[in-house]
Amino acid sequence: KAGLSASLTASGTMAVCEELGISLAVTCGMGGVGQIKAEQICVDLPALASIPVALLASSPKDMLDIPATIRWLTDRNVHVAGPACTGWVFNGDPVPVPETWADYPDADTICQAAKEDGLLLLNPIPAERRIQDRTILAAAIEAGLREEAAGGDYHPAANTEIHRLTDGYSARLQLQAFIDNLHLAKSL
């Protein structure tokens, strides 16, 4: 009603999980280190370092600096596990992560790591399902920066541009990735 964003960040989801005694939060894309004025360090990162809830995500978002994001987390001893991070809804260069899923074989191990130092589990969208045209990402970044310069919010403008340029495929891709992550979390 107020015309404000109703999105809930990964950090917000983690905070709700902590309050409810849930040890694993699930999302699709997450924040990180980037050029967005309002969040050069997204609140998702300090949340991973301080909230004793593990986060299952597909990847930091493509418009962010993924190597700097992984480095920020590991520099603060947050466990990051999964295959090399190659992007979120677009394919990018592989960024190694220090741990694998095999390091977290059960719920007890996941909970312990989240409580001790924080834990990010990466479950990437399969490369063949991702958006192949990276010019769409460049256009989305420009749209976000224009909106931010005009006093608006970066993410809604960037996401709207990706949605428009993919005829809604990006929204379906993100929804399916979120559902896939929910199923994986349930199996844990």
Side-chain angles (χ1 to χ4, degrees):
K1 285 183 176 181
L4 301 173
S5 172
S7 64
L8 184 60
T9 65
S11 58
T13 304
M14 291 173 69
V16 170
C17 286
E18 179 183 28
E19 188 173 309
L20 296 174
I22 299 169
S23 59
L24 178 63
V26 178
T27 191
C28 181
M30 58 171 278
V33 175
Q35 63 183 347
I36 302 162
K37 288 178 188 169
E39 56 178 76
Q40 291 176 340
I41 301 289
C42 177
V43 295
D44 293 349
L45 300 184
L48 276 160
S50 64
I51 297 175
V53 171
L55 178 65
L56 171 58
S58 298
S59 171
K61 294 178 181 173
D62 297 297
M63 66 273 303
L64 301 171
D65 185 336
I66 294 175
T69 299
I70 301 298
R71 194 169 41 257
W72 191 99
L73 291 166
T74 58
D75 285 352
R76 285 151 184 85
N77 299 317
V78 174
H79 300 279
V80 181
C85 187
T86 59
W88 180 42
V89 297
F90 293 89
N91 290 310
D93 294 330
V95 177
V97 298
E99 301 177 57
T100 69
W101 275 83
D103 296 316
Y104 301 94
D106 55 46
D108 289 338
T109 308
I110 290 169
C111 291
Q112 188 62 35
K115 287 178 184 174
E116 288 175 358
D117 297 309
L119 174 61
L120 172 61
L121 297 167
L122 296 174
N123 182 39
I125 296 171
E128 65 276 6
R129 288 193 348 217
R130 296 187 202 168
I131 302 164
Q132 303 303 313
D133 184 354
R134 287 189 64 89
T135 64
I136 294 171
L137 176 59
I141 291 170
E142 284 300 315
L145 292 173
R146 276 193 312 274
E147 183 64 23
E148 187 178 59
D153 293 326
Y154 179 98
H155 285 295
N159 289 341
T160 298
E161 188 69 1
I162 296 171
H163 181 82
R164 183 183 72 77
L165 293 172
T166 63
D167 294 322
Y169 178 73
S170 64
R172 293 187 300 277
L173 179 63
Q174 292 174 59
L175 177 60
Q176 186 58 56
F178 180 64
I179 292 168
D180 292 346
N181 286 347
L182 287 171
H183 287 300
L184 179 55
K186 186 177 178 183
S187 74
L188 298 174

